[in-house]
Amino acid sequence: MTHHSNSSDSLFPLRKWIEREALNDQISGQPIAGFGDAKEKRDMILRKTIIAYGMTELLAHSRAHHSIAPSPSVCEQFSLDNFAIRFSFSDVAEAAAGASGQYYLPGWKDITGVDMISPPISMNILEPSYLCDNDGGDVEDQIVGRYLEVEFPIFPDADGTAFAVSQSEEDVRCHSLGIILYELFSHIAPLPDEGRAGVKKCSIKEDGPTTQLNNDFSRESAHQRKKTKLSDYTAFVTKENTFGHQAVEESQETPCSAFQRTPYFPLIELRFPSSVCLLIRNLLECQSDNDNRPDDAYDSLETVSKDLHLLLLDPNRFLFDRKPTPENGYIQLMYRKHKLYGRENEVSKMTDAFCRVSGGKSEAFFIGGFSGSGKSRLVNSLTARVDVSDGYVITHKFDQISKERPLLEIILVFNDLCLLVRKKRSQHDLLAIFNELMEVFGADFSMLAQLLPNIEAISPNLDRSNHAKEVGDRMNFRSVCFILQRFMRVVSTKSHPVMLFLDDIQWCDDSALSLIEGIICGGSSCLFFVGSYRSNEVRDNHALFSLIDGLNSSGVPTTKMSLEGLTPDDLNTMISDAMCMFPRICENLSDIVFQKTKGNPFFVLEFLRSLVDGALLEYSAKKRRWIWDEDRISAMDVMGNVLALLSSKMSGLSESTQQFLKVASCFGIRMKESVVEYLSKSPEYSSIQSGLEHAIAEGFMIKVETSDFKFVHDKVREAAYILIPDSEKNEFHYGLGMTLYLITNGSDVDDIIFSIADQVKYGIDHSLVQSPELRLDLAKLNQMAGIKAAECSDHSTARSYLNVALSLLPTDHWKSHYDRSLRLCFLLAKSAYSCGDVEKAHVILKEILNNAHCLMDKLDAYHLVVLIMYDKEATEEAYTTVRDVLTQLGETIPNVFSLQETKVMTETTSKMLSSISEESLLGMEEMEGKSQFLLKFYSSISVVALVYKPDMVPYFSCRMVQLTMQHGKCKHSLLGFVQYAAVGCGHNTVTVIQEFCRIGKLAMNVLKHFDSRADIVSRLYLIYYAFVASYSEQIQSSVNNLHRGFECGMASGDTSSGFLNAIHNIRISLNAGIDLPTIFKKIEYFLEVMKSHGNSLAMTHLSLHRNTISILIGKTCNDYTEVQNSALKFPASLYHKAVRAFWIGHSERCHHFFEKFDGGGKINDSWGSRHQRNFYVLYYGLNALKIIRRTSPHKMKAVPRSALKALKIFAGCSRWNFQNKVHLLEAGIFSHEGRNAEAKASYAAAITSARSSRFIHEQGLACEMAGFHYKKIGDYISARAFFVQAKECYAQWGSDVKVDSITNQLEILQTPSA
């Protein structure tokens, strides 16, 4: 705090200062206390108010002096001669008059304290340093208010408590203070008898619109007073330049007797601010007896001090009188637009939550309360803080009209976020964001571009032609959620957090709130979600509470808050601020308003406006303050409902304004400018533009952004909607819609098509549409709206519009409107499927299949039917259906396909591809018509066959390649090429495997040249990176790309492929030596996603991996041979048992499970088994060596050499992935055969190669085996060194089980026997 040192301050008697100031006024020709706009006059008022504040604080504080010193008389203490002022410079006392005869007086900022002479008390006036004003600027800038504080010295003998006085004594003190403040401000001393010109003893009161002396004045003296010039009073009180001091001395009365019988000229007529006049008048009224004592008379000096402090805190509002507004010449209520009353605690909680979000967390904040309780204003108070932290604020307000499409509106909010990012970030930042998005989304970036078209704002150079819109069969709600999750992970960061505010979420449906939950719980960081809702309009079973429970169960910090009405004190402060009057004066009015509104802030504002409109609250120009009629206001019946006030006000507006308000209310809280423009072209709504202007002028609407108009509050919209009688609402909506439809028919109305369809729907739902021709036209309109919604990925809204469209067709529509029926039913089936209602989709698809005229018209429906069957795990039925379709298309599908047939067909196809290159494939013509459908259905049957008939996959793959070579390419050709490569990579020669890898890589390189590819990316990544890339690329890259394949599948809706990518991502992560805790964490994430989709099959397979990782880490002590019952039927359970047994060291069990897995069923002959076997062949061979060393079974002696032969083939294709395995198995064989020198070299090579390829687990395994080898030959020092290395590797891998095992070996080496 700033403190002005007393040593440098100048002390100046208060009376002398008043004399000089009055003299300056007289010399300058200005009237005493004249109040204009001049800076010196405003400064003078501020100086005197500061002094008055200091004097009042001194007088109030002097009570504590009573107990340690004799109390002076009231007359002695309450005198201007008893006070002195301190200033912040030293030469004021010696300042002489200048050439003009005026004295220099310090400014109001220079006053540092006030001293009292008797009793001797000093008071310092302080101001917090962060609130001190800087010098300079214009007049208005300098009068900004001062948050002054007072500081008193500590009395050595005082106990710090105030001396108790009676109310009558306090009244005398207040009245006496009024006398000296009157003289302080007016420069007029109390008039002695000879100077009163016949004026009798009086007091001041307000009577009517003007301030007058009371009835003790005669009419003659009052008339004489009105004629008296101000200069006459000036001449009297400035006699001998003593300003009344000499006049008092000439009187034979004592000062006390003069005070008791002194009349006062009304300060209001001296043009002092009305607040000062009121304050002094209420002080002088304290002399009245209890029966006649006005209610506004002060009750204590502390209350006076509080009012004076308020004048200084905001002088423009409370001290100086306001001027009429230039627009209408009236004084209006002066609301503090950005102040929240009584919400300090709520603001603090919300700010704290956002600060936590800025630190890297995501949080949710829910605010309930009645409409008008200030929920939106509370949230908006935080937006400035978000801007300061360089974050983004995205908001949306739902309403009852738009509740049919909340999911679409949420997507549009995130679309707007793209524009906000562009606005707030530099070009360098935008490029970095775009590159990160491309890294995250990769091949499925087109899905993001489809969902959020404004993504091009982040990268203006983005080629839209490469990211054309795709409305895939599988794009659904979960796809939208997954895309937005990944988008938010990039955009929302610690340095740029995102605040998402959704207002009135009671109008949201389950899908919209589920989307929000998915985004918040899906790994988005630094996202602060705020949702507000009307607590009186939601039931206990509303989806909102499920959202809150879901967030809590997911560990997202969630705060729930309820806003009530303002307290009486806060409401009084609000009204005091609006009327620029002391809170104590407004208290009675505030009590009435509270009773009427229950403190609801919006209701309060509208109620006050209604009082002004009804002249029950008005500004008095003569009194220069607001006055009101308490009795009439108390008698008002507002029914506790703000709607009644608003509707009453609206009903008095012009017809054109009412018409506009009715129209606007039909479109919800916002209305597009284009709607106004279209409607204004019709005769019925020709005056709508004028109505809009008047609605804005009346404060009912505002313009937002560049093309929308918005109601200032949802209650205003509701009030406007009430203007339409209930019996006419449907027809009114329908009329609006038809007007827009007829005016825009044939035009591009993409931006308002939902608005038109929504309005027309009211007529459709209530049978207002009878004309067959019109019904067909409106069916087309709703079909267009449905397609538009589907393009925006809101399939729920699309389904609603398409249902309306179908209902408008005649009952015989399959006969009378075949093409439209076929198109519409298929669109509806796709929307139902994307919404998760597969049963409804299946019913519609059966209708298509029953009514379609030919096979070509049925193909799209068949394809979607197969997807539904596959998703329902009805693989046999799906396989049979696709095979039947392919048969109808002229294909011959064998029931079985042997290994020999596979070999022959593969060789034939290989010859066709021997010379193919990336350039020649791209140069092929595009496949059309029937051939493209053939590839599409072969692609479908291949997916089903992977699960149902894996031995048929080679046939389908080869056939897809052959059709491509014969008829040209399409995106499904790439699937055929990659599947063909996967089948071929199971061969046993290096050159053959390399050729198949070339074909697979070629297809992956060509992928980027297809615009519409998102629906096949996940499957391509699955097949290539799970079965092909391991023979040609570093296996770690397959881990990353399989994760991307998972994300692509989830984004496109191909969840089956997505989950298979996840399962193989975990499998290959284990093979690649990724540390076990990281793998475990990924498994937990994948399982959570699978659980949300209800995919039990994928969860079963992934749970096998989870249990294997848990055993290796040491998280579980369960028997490693145990698996869940649901997994027993899968051969993969045997593979996991074998792997667990190998790492634990149970050789016989490991061999048993490997043998059973490899030869226990059809998988032994499948192409997929070869890939699985290729990655466990090392463990199979090493495990066999262990058994041979112990039991030497003859049948197992060939296993290690056979395994080594296979590994060498694979190493010929990829040294990175397999060379360390070759070295390690060779070392094991050499060790077993006693070829110690060769074993030593091979172990060293295995360790080096594993380290080079980052296979930490196999590096540890090589060190462990080397340790056993050296222990066997008696080199315990080397053995110990290798065991130590093994332990370090296993610790880095994260396997406590292996660390414990090696620790045990080290302990054995330390024993004497060792």
Side-chain angles (χ1 to χ4, degrees):
M1 299 180 67
T2 58
H3 179 76
H4 305 288
S5 173
N6 290 336
S7 61
S8 61
D9 289 352
S10 176
L11 195 63
F12 206 60
L14 178 57
R15 186 174 294 282
K16 187 175 181 180
W17 176 78
I18 294 175
E19 291 171 358
R20 286 194 175 184
E21 190 157 83
L23 181 61
N24 283 350
D25 280 343
Q26 186 182 30
I27 294 172
S28 66
Q30 296 291 332
I32 297 175
F35 179 63
D37 292 330
K39 177 181 182 300
E40 59 270 18
K41 297 303 179 184
R42 294 168 69 88
D43 282 354
M44 179 196 71
I45 296 298
L46 277 169
R47 286 196 297 271
K48 293 182 177 182
T49 306
I50 293 172
I51 294 170
Y53 175 58
M55 293 168 61
T56 305
E57 283 285 336
L58 282 169
L59 291 168
H61 196 73
S62 66
R63 295 197 196 98
H65 224 53
H66 286 194
S67 60
I68 60 174
S71 174
S73 67
V74 173
C75 296
E76 292 174 351
Q77 189 177 9
F78 286 77
S79 169
L80 295 181
D81 298 309
N82 195 35
F83 295 92
I85 316 169
R86 273 183 286 110
F87 298 97
S88 58
F89 58 95
S90 58
D91 59 345
V92 64
E94 305 301 328
S100 63
Q102 290 183 296
Y103 287 94
Y104 173 76
L105 292 174
W108 57 278
K109 296 183 180 180
D110 300 318
I111 301 172
T112 61
V114 180
D115 288 6
M116 181 185 290
I117 299 171
S118 178
I121 307 176
S122 295
M123 181 205 74
N124 298 322
I125 295 179
L126 308 172
E127 183 173 15
S129 57
Y130 58 88
L131 294 177
C132 293
D133 298 328
N134 296 322
D135 293 333
D138 55 26
V139 175
E140 293 296 334
D141 289 338
Q142 290 183 344
I143 311 300
V144 294
R146 307 182 71 189
Y147 189 88
L148 300 179
E149 296 179 357
V150 296
E151 179 184 80
F152 293 95
I154 300 175
F155 301 134
D157 301 323
D159 60 4
T161 59
F163 185 76
V165 296
S166 65
Q167 185 60 55
S168 61
E169 291 177 302
E170 190 72 358
D171 285 348
V172 172
R173 296 164 68 86
C174 288
H175 180 79
S176 302
L177 175 62
I179 294 172
I180 58 176
L181 292 188
Y182 180 88
E183 185 174 358
L184 169 67
F185 278 93
S186 68
H187 303 172
I188 301 175
L191 298 180
D193 288 342
E194 56 269 32
R196 295 179 195 167
V199 177
K200 299 180 180 180
K201 177 182 175 182
C202 68
S203 60
I204 297 178
K205 65 179 287 187
E206 280 191 346
D207 185 15
T210 61
T211 304
Q212 300 177 345
L213 301 178
N214 71 0
N215 292 332
D216 288 338
F217 282 104
S218 65
R219 292 183 179 179
E220 181 179 358
S221 60
H223 178 69
Q224 180 181 355
R225 177 184 61 79
K226 291 180 181 179
K227 290 184 177 181
T228 304
K229 297 180 180 179
L230 192 59
S231 59
D232 296 336
Y233 285 89
T234 304
F236 173 78
V237 298
T238 57
K239 184 178 180 181
E240 297 183 6
N241 292 331
T242 62
F243 289 88
H245 185 68
Q246 180 64 32
V248 174
E249 287 181 352
E250 292 177 358
S251 172
Q252 299 301 312
E253 300 176 294
T254 65
C256 281
S257 62
F259 287 173
Q260 296 297 322
R261 43 196 300 272
T262 299
Y264 305 95
F265 192 85
L267 293 179
I268 196 75
E269 297 197 10
L270 292 178
R271 292 166 51 198
F272 276 94
S274 59
S275 57
V276 173
C277 300
L278 184 62
L279 183 144
I280 294 176
R281 181 170 68 83
N282 291 161
L283 283 169
L284 295 175
E285 290 171 341
C286 291
Q287 192 182 28
S288 306
D289 57 55
N290 290 334
D291 293 336
N292 297 320
R293 192 176 192 273
D295 292 337
D296 293 338
Y298 282 103
D299 57 1
S300 68
L301 292 178
E302 284 77 10
T303 305
V304 181
S305 178
K306 184 177 179 181
D307 283 354
L308 285 166
H309 190 269
L310 184 63
L311 298 180
L312 295 172
L313 185 64
D314 192 351
N316 290 318
R317 180 177 295 272
F318 292 104
L319 179 55
F320 303 119
D321 290 333
R322 296 179 56 213
K323 300 176 183 179
T325 57
E327 292 82 7
N328 54 25
Y330 295 106
I331 301 291
Q332 297 180 339
L333 291 172
M334 190 175 174
Y335 298 106
R336 293 188 189 270
K337 295 182 179 179
H338 303 294
K339 180 174 180 179
L340 284 173
Y341 295 90
R343 305 299 190 202
E344 293 79 10
N345 184 49
E346 290 83 354
V347 170
S348 177
K349 286 184 178 180
M350 184 174 293
T351 303
D352 291 345
F354 177 73
C355 290
R356 292 191 295 270
V357 168
S358 301
K361 302 282 186 178
S362 287
E363 288 203 21
F365 210 95
F366 294 88
I367 306 173
F370 283 35
S371 176
S373 59
K375 302 184 293 294
S376 301
R377 291 204 60 198
L378 173 62
V379 178
N380 291 336
S381 69
L382 186 63
T383 56
R385 293 178 175 86
V386 179
D387 285 335
V388 167
S389 61
D390 217 8
Y392 312 106
V393 180
I394 49 177
T395 65
H396 184 73
K397 185 177 181 67
F398 297 99
D399 58 59
Q400 191 172 8
I401 299 298
S402 62
K403 66 179 181 180
E404 297 295 331
R405 50 177 189 276
L407 183 61
L408 174 61
E409 298 194 8
I410 291 178
I411 294 172
L412 294 177
V413 170
F414 287 98
N415 194 37
D416 290 340
L417 176 58
C418 300
L419 301 178
L420 189 59
V421 171
R422 181 184 66 179
K423 180 180 178 181
K424 300 191 69 173
R425 299 273 73 82
S426 66
Q427 286 298 321
H428 180 268
D429 292 339
L430 293 177
L431 180 60
I433 293 171
F434 176 71
N435 288 337
E436 188 174 356
L437 286 172
M438 289 298 295
E439 175 66 23
V440 168
F441 284 90
D444 62 330
F445 187 86
S446 59
M447 304 301 294
L448 175 64
Q450 172 193 333
L451 188 65
L452 307 178
N454 287 339
I455 197 68
E456 65 180 357
I458 295 178
S459 180
N461 297 324
L462 177 66
D463 185 1
R464 292 287 295 173
S465 62
N466 289 334
H467 302 285
K469 287 187 176 180
E470 304 176 40
V471 186
D473 291 339
R474 295 188 171 192
M475 188 71 173
N476 54 35
F477 159 77
R478 291 191 175 95
S479 307
V480 172
C481 181
F482 197 79
I483 291 172
L484 291 179
Q485 285 175 357
R486 291 192 288 164
F487 172 71
M488 290 300 293
R489 288 177 202 148
V490 174
V491 174
S492 184
T493 62
K494 287 184 180 181
S495 55
H496 306 293
V498 173
M499 174 180 169
L500 170 61
F501 173 39
L502 299 181
D503 198 2
D504 279 343
I505 56 176
Q506 73 271 4
W507 300 120
C508 281
D509 62 8
D510 294 6
S511 61
L513 294 179
S514 296
L515 177 62
I516 295 300
E517 181 180 354
I519 293 171
I520 299 174
C521 298
S524 298
S525 62
C526 305
L527 173 61
F528 185 41
F529 172 74
V530 182
S532 70
Y533 61 96
R534 298 183 189 178
S535 53
N536 60 317
E537 297 185 18
V538 291
R539 296 181 179 178
D540 293 340
N541 61 350
H542 194 280
L544 160 67
F545 301 111
S546 297
L547 168 61
I548 296 174
D549 293 340
L551 293 174
N552 282 323
S553 62
S554 298
V556 177
T558 304
T559 304
K560 187 178 176 184
M561 176 187 295
S562 179
L563 290 188
E564 305 297 335
L566 300 179
T567 65
D569 287 343
D570 292 326
L571 177 58
N572 188 39
T573 302
M574 175 183 176
I575 293 177
S576 166
D577 286 348
M579 298 198 300
C580 308
M581 297 176 67
F582 297 126
R584 62 184 180 83
I585 301 298
C586 309
E587 194 167 359
N588 288 342
L589 175 61
S590 298
D591 289 343
I592 299 173
V593 175
F594 182 81
Q595 294 171 11
K596 301 290 184 183
T597 65
K598 306 305 179 186
N600 182 285
F602 181 72
F603 197 172
V604 169
L605 294 176
E606 291 304 321
F607 185 66
L608 291 176
R609 291 188 181 107
S610 71
L611 295 181
V612 174
D613 292 341
L616 298 181
L617 175 64
E618 58 183 344
Y619 187 83
S620 171
K622 292 184 179 180
K623 294 183 180 181
R624 284 187 267 135
R625 68 180 182 88
W626 290 90
I627 59 175
W628 55 89
D629 190 329
E630 290 186 11
D631 293 336
R632 292 178 60 193
I633 296 173
S634 297
M636 288 181 65
D637 181 13
V638 295
M639 299 179 293
N641 190 345
V642 70
L643 291 178
L645 290 176
L646 291 168
S647 297
S648 176
K649 182 176 180 179
M650 290 177 180
S651 62
L653 299 174
S654 66
E655 184 177 343
S656 62
T657 306
Q658 288 191 53
Q659 184 193 46
F660 171 77
L661 290 172
K662 293 177 184 178
V663 170
S665 69
C666 291
F667 292 94
I669 198 72
R670 295 169 75 112
M671 182 182 189
K672 291 186 175 294
E673 188 173 29
S674 57
V675 172
V676 177
E677 293 173 353
Y678 282 125
L679 288 175
S680 62
K681 296 177 182 179
S682 69
E684 184 178 358
Y685 301 103
S686 58
S687 61
I688 194 171
Q689 190 70 46
S690 173
L692 167 62
E693 295 170 0
H694 283 89
I696 294 175
E698 291 289 340
F700 292 125
M701 298 198 78
I702 56 174
K703 187 166 186 178
V704 291
E705 300 170 355
T706 57
S707 60
D708 285 3
F709 297 98
K710 177 183 175 183
F711 282 100
V712 296
H713 196 274
D714 48 5
K715 282 296 181 184
V716 178
R717 190 208 70 81
E718 292 177 32
Y721 197 55
I722 289 176
L723 295 176
I724 310 173
D726 290 342
S727 60
E728 301 175 10
K729 279 185 168 63
N730 292 325
E731 190 171 352
F732 192 90
H733 278 284
Y734 177 64
L736 271 176
M738 288 308 301
T739 300
L740 286 170
Y741 175 72
L742 294 174
I743 291 174
T744 60
N745 195 14
S747 305
D748 182 10
V749 291
D750 204 43
D751 61 328
I752 63 169
I753 189 169
F754 296 137
S755 298
I756 300 174
D758 289 346
Q759 300 303 314
V760 170
K761 186 174 182 293
Y762 283 85
I764 298 172
D765 290 345
H766 294 82
S767 304
L768 298 179
V769 184
Q770 299 297 330
S771 167
E773 294 78 9
L774 180 58
R775 292 178 67 87
L776 290 176
D777 288 345
L778 296 183
K780 181 180 179 181
L781 170 70
N782 278 274
Q783 181 176 325
M784 291 170 55
I787 294 172
K788 172 69 176 177
E791 289 175 351
C792 297
S793 303
D794 184 359
H795 297 282
S796 177
T797 299
R799 181 182 181 183
S800 176
Y801 286 125
L802 294 171
N803 270 321
V804 173
L806 189 60
S807 71
L808 289 167
L809 298 182
T811 55
D812 65 341
H813 60 87
W814 278 107
K815 292 182 178 180
S816 57
H817 303 284
Y818 174 78
D819 291 339
R820 178 173 291 185
S821 300
L822 185 66
R823 173 67 171 157
L824 188 54
C825 285
F826 182 68
L827 289 172
L828 183 56
K830 283 210 305 182
S831 293
Y833 172 73
S834 297
C835 290
D837 191 353
V838 292
E839 298 302 327
K840 178 64 175 177
H842 212 163
V843 169
I844 300 172
L845 291 170
K846 285 184 177 180
E847 182 181 350
I848 295 173
L849 295 176
N850 290 333
N851 289 280
H853 292 170
C854 61
L855 177 63
M856 293 302 293
D857 289 348
K858 297 179 181 180
L859 291 178
D860 285 330
Y862 270 128
H863 187 258
L864 190 53
V865 165
V866 172
L867 289 179
I868 293 173
M869 292 176 177
Y870 182 73
D871 289 344
K872 294 169 65 176
E873 300 179 18
T875 52
E876 181 178 359
E877 187 179 2
Y879 184 89
T880 302
T881 301
V882 185
R883 187 184 63 185
D884 290 346
V885 172
L886 286 169
T887 301
Q888 294 181 63
L889 288 170
E891 292 293 299
T892 301
I893 309 298
N895 291 325
V896 293
F897 204 59
S898 66
L899 287 176
Q900 181 60 33
E901 289 174 312
T902 299
K903 181 179 179 180
V904 172
M905 191 172 188
T906 301
E907 291 175 352
T908 302
T909 307
S910 180
K911 292 178 182 179
M912 298 176 68
L913 295 174
S914 59
S915 60
I916 195 169
S917 64
E918 184 175 334
E919 292 75 16
S920 61
L921 180 57
L922 287 172
M924 286 184 181
E925 294 184 357
E926 294 291 332
M927 188 180 291
E928 297 179 354
K930 176 183 174 181
S931 298
Q932 194 167 16
F933 274 111
L934 281 173
L935 262 292
K936 187 174 183 178
F937 279 97
Y938 267 121
S939 175
S940 296
I941 201 170
S942 297
V943 173
V944 179
L946 282 171
V947 179
Y948 178 65
K949 273 199 169 187
D951 58 312
M952 290 298 299
V953 173
Y955 174 83
F956 299 136
S957 302
C958 290
R959 187 67 183 126
M960 292 176 73
V961 173
Q962 292 172 2
L963 287 170
T964 297
M965 301 303 292
Q966 295 169 3
H967 302 288
K969 69 176 185 299
C970 68
K971 64 182 180 181
H972 297 288
S973 300
L974 304 183
L975 287 170
F977 277 57
V978 173
Q979 287 177 183
Y980 171 76
V983 170
C985 283
H987 280 71
N988 55 4
T989 59
V990 173
T991 55
V992 172
I993 293 175
Q994 289 176 336
E995 173 61 14
F996 280 105
C997 287
R998 183 187 74 84
I999 298 299
K1001 188 66 175 178
L1002 180 150
M1004 296 302 291
N1005 289 338
V1006 170
L1007 173 65
K1008 61 179 178 289
H1009 295 284
F1010 284 84
D1011 294 338
S1012 179
R1013 63 182 186 269
D1015 56 335
I1016 66 168
V1017 168
S1018 183
R1019 280 184 56 198
L1020 279 173
Y1021 273 51
L1022 167 66
I1023 299 169
Y1024 181 77
Y1025 289 106
F1027 303 110
V1028 180
S1030 298
Y1031 301 101
S1032 59
E1033 301 180 23
Q1034 295 180 6
I1035 195 171
Q1036 287 86 356
S1037 67
S1038 292
V1039 173
N1040 297 331
N1041 283 295
L1042 285 167
H1043 188 85
R1044 178 165 291 174
F1046 161 75
E1047 292 180 330
C1048 291
M1050 304 309 297
S1052 65
D1054 185 6
T1055 56
S1056 298
S1057 297
F1059 291 149
L1060 286 173
N1061 271 279
I1063 293 169
H1064 286 284
N1065 170 274
I1066 299 302
R1067 174 180 67 83
I1068 293 183
S1069 292
L1070 186 58
N1071 292 335
I1074 306 298
D1075 67 278
L1076 298 175
T1078 297
I1079 300 176
F1080 190 85
K1081 185 176 180 181
K1082 286 200 298 183
I1083 291 174
E1084 292 294 290
Y1085 167 66
F1086 289 145
L1087 283 173
E1088 188 65 29
V1089 177
M1090 292 172 181
K1091 181 180 179 182
S1092 68
H1093 285 70
N1095 194 314
S1096 58
L1097 180 62
M1099 291 177 66
T1100 298
H1101 280 280
L1102 202 58
S1103 294
L1104 287 171
H1105 286 283
R1106 184 184 187 276
N1107 294 339
T1108 298
I1109 301 298
S1110 296
I1111 290 171
L1112 293 177
I1113 291 176
K1115 284 180 174 287
T1116 178
C1117 298
N1118 295 337
D1119 183 356
Y1120 66 84
T1121 62
E1122 293 182 0
V1123 295
Q1124 60 196 88
N1125 293 332
S1126 59
L1128 289 174
K1129 63 181 179 181
F1130 298 114
S1133 64
L1134 299 171
Y1135 169 78
H1136 280 277
K1137 290 179 182 180
V1139 170
R1140 297 169 192 174
F1142 172 81
W1143 285 106
I1144 290 175
H1146 293 182
S1147 305
E1148 284 77 8
R1149 282 193 174 188
C1150 175
H1151 182 74
H1152 166 74
F1153 289 128
F1154 270 140
E1155 286 290 311
K1156 196 171 181 180
F1157 169 72
D1158 193 36
K1162 296 181 180 179
I1163 191 170
N1164 185 49
D1165 296 327
S1166 71
W1167 66 276
S1169 69
R1170 292 195 295 270
H1171 293 285
Q1172 196 85 338
R1173 188 166 53 242
N1174 293 345
F1175 277 93
Y1176 73 69
V1177 67
L1178 170 66
Y1179 306 149
Y1180 186 53
L1182 292 176
N1183 188 74
L1185 283 172
K1186 290 183 181 180
I1187 297 175
I1188 292 171
R1189 277 196 292 265
R1190 286 198 300 268
T1191 61
S1192 300
H1194 178 74
K1195 65 177 182 179
M1196 295 188 64
K1197 289 184 178 180
V1199 172
R1201 289 289 179 181
S1202 176
L1204 180 61
K1205 179 180 179 181
L1207 286 174
K1208 286 183 176 180
I1209 294 174
F1210 305 144
C1213 299
S1214 175
R1215 289 183 60 82
W1216 177 280
N1217 294 337
F1218 294 99
Q1219 190 60 46
N1220 75 296
K1221 298 172 178 62
V1222 171
H1223 288 312
L1224 185 55
L1225 188 52
E1226 282 181 333
I1229 293 173
F1230 291 147
S1231 176
H1232 173 67
E1233 295 175 349
R1235 300 160 63 179
N1236 295 335
E1238 292 158 296
K1240 178 179 179 181
S1242 292
Y1243 279 126
I1247 293 170
T1248 301
S1249 181
R1251 182 189 301 114
S1252 177
S1253 296
R1254 302 195 299 275
F1255 297 153
I1256 191 66
H1257 62 316
E1258 291 179 355
Q1259 181 185 343
L1261 179 61
C1263 291
E1264 179 184 4
M1265 291 181 62
F1268 279 114
H1269 170 73
Y1270 281 99
K1271 178 183 176 183
K1272 182 182 73 171
I1273 65 177
D1275 186 351
Y1276 299 115
I1277 295 177
S1278 296
R1280 178 177 176 78
F1282 279 112
F1283 280 137
V1284 169
Q1285 290 183 49
K1287 183 177 179 179
E1288 292 174 352
C1289 291
Y1290 287 141
Q1292 187 176 341
W1293 188 33
S1295 175
D1296 293 341
V1297 168
K1298 293 302 297 180
V1299 168
D1300 293 343
S1301 174
I1302 300 301
T1303 300
N1304 184 54
Q1305 290 300 322
L1306 289 170
E1307 291 174 351
I1308 292 174
L1309 286 175
Q1310 291 177 344
T1311 62
S1313 60

